């Protein structure tokens, strides 16, 4: 019922700052995320768009879960409440 998840991960940039990059999540592991980078880094030379790998959960700076009722984010749980309220119908039940 919940669609794809994406996470924003913070990586050290070559100029001493941190760059926050979006990754498509494939699976969650013990303390790590298996994910593919979805955008081209500006200043992180060791990463390229489309690169898949495992990343530490400590790097997560944002996340989005997609659902039939909209995006679920740290800032908005409204779609999660709608999914919960209409769970049987959304999963194909008779509700």
């Amino acid at each position: 019922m919940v669609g794809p998840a994406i996470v924003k991960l913070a990586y050290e940039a070559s100029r001493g700052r941190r760059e926050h990059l979006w990754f498509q999540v494939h699976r969650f592991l013990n303390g790590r995320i298996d994910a593919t980078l979805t955008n081209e880094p500006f200043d992180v030379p060791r990463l390229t768009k489309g690169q898949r790998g495992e990343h530490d959960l400590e790097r997560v700076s944002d996340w989005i879960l997609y659902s039939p009722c909209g995006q679920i984010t740290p800032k908005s749980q409204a779609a999660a409440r709608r999914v919960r309220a209409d769970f049987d119908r959304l999963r194909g039940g008779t509700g």
Side-chain angles (χ1 to χ4, degrees):
M1 175 177 355
V2 174
I6 60 172
V7 293
K8 188 183 282 186
L9 304 177
Y11 271 93
E12 296 72 25
S14 63
R15 295 188 178 108
R17 296 185 180 182
R18 294 176 66 108
E19 186 171 345
H20 298 263
L21 304 163
W22 285 106
F23 289 78
Q24 172 73 47
V25 176
H26 302 290
R27 62 189 174 131
F28 294 95
L29 307 164
N30 188 18
R32 297 180 65 75
I33 302 169
D34 173 17
T36 299
L37 181 58
T38 62
N39 62 300
E40 194 65 49
F42 178 73
D43 193 27
V44 184
R46 66 187 181 101
L47 295 175
T48 57
K49 182 179 180 179
Q51 183 176 347
R52 182 173 177 170
E54 293 182 11
H55 310 271
D56 291 327
L57 280 175
E58 296 161 352
R59 293 188 177 279
V60 174
S61 62
D62 202 0
W63 55 267
I64 300 173
L65 297 176
Y66 293 97
S67 80
C69 297
Q71 294 181 0
I72 302 168
T73 72
K75 297 174 188 145
S76 176
Q77 302 291 308
R81 288 189 292 277
R82 288 192 299 273
V83 167
R84 193 174 321 125
D86 211 6
F87 184 77
D88 287 335
R89 185 185 67 78
L90 291 169
R91 74 168 187 182
T94 58

